[in-house]
Amino acid sequence: MDAFLAALEASAFAEALRTSFVAYPLVNAFHILALGALVTAVILLDLRVLGGLRSVAGEPFIALMRRVALLAFAGAAVSGFLLFSVRPIDYAGNPAFLAKLALIGLAVLNFALLAHSGRGRGRAEAPSMRVAAVLSLVFWPAALVAGRFIGFVE
């Protein structure tokens, strides 16, 4: 694993991010934008599943928020990987980073279960979906907070 991390840190794109005055801040800004879109879409999705936002048609809104969340997650994952590549050895040992990854793993698993439990039922209010929505409201913001601690924990 150390060899992989060292190779990643020595890669051309990691070096470009470290040395460019513009690249790293732009990737970082995109990461923040993607995270904002992801967490916003997930929270809106969860609130609708839990019975809020009744003025919005349930299933079309849920389908839209799922697509937005998936697209935002993809952007956050790619930009996050690029940011990670700048100092992967340091980040791999950072407890806040490891907590963030664990929380993202739980959130993604929960999202997959949420998406699966809603299929074929035609009801966003299924009990399993409500439980998944509550867990989602915990996991995603917790991952966001853990990510903010990465720079302050060693």
Side-chain angles (χ1 to χ4, degrees), residues 125-139:
E125 294 82 13
S128 60
M129 289 188 72
R130 286 194 301 267
V131 170
V134 169
L135 290 173
S136 177
L137 286 170
V138 172
F139 293 148

Side-chain angles (χ1 to χ4, degrees), residues 35-116:
L35 289 174
L38 170 62
V39 173
T40 298
V42 166
I43 287 172
L44 291 172
L45 169 63
D46 294 336
L47 291 175
R48 183 63 184 97
V49 167
L50 291 170
L53 308 172
R54 289 272 184 210
S55 63
V56 180
E59 293 304 321
F61 182 75
I62 289 170
L64 174 62
M65 289 301 103
R66 280 184 184 144
R67 286 191 300 273
V68 170
L70 287 171
L71 183 62
F73 179 78
V78 170
S79 58
F81 177 77
L82 290 172
L83 296 172
F84 173 76
S85 73
V86 173
R87 293 182 23 221
I89 295 168
D90 294 337
Y91 290 137
N94 185 302
F97 179 77
L98 298 174
K100 176 183 175 177
L101 289 184
L103 288 161
I104 290 170
L106 289 170
V108 167
L109 177 62
N110 185 62
F111 186 83
L113 294 173
L114 176 68
H116 178 72

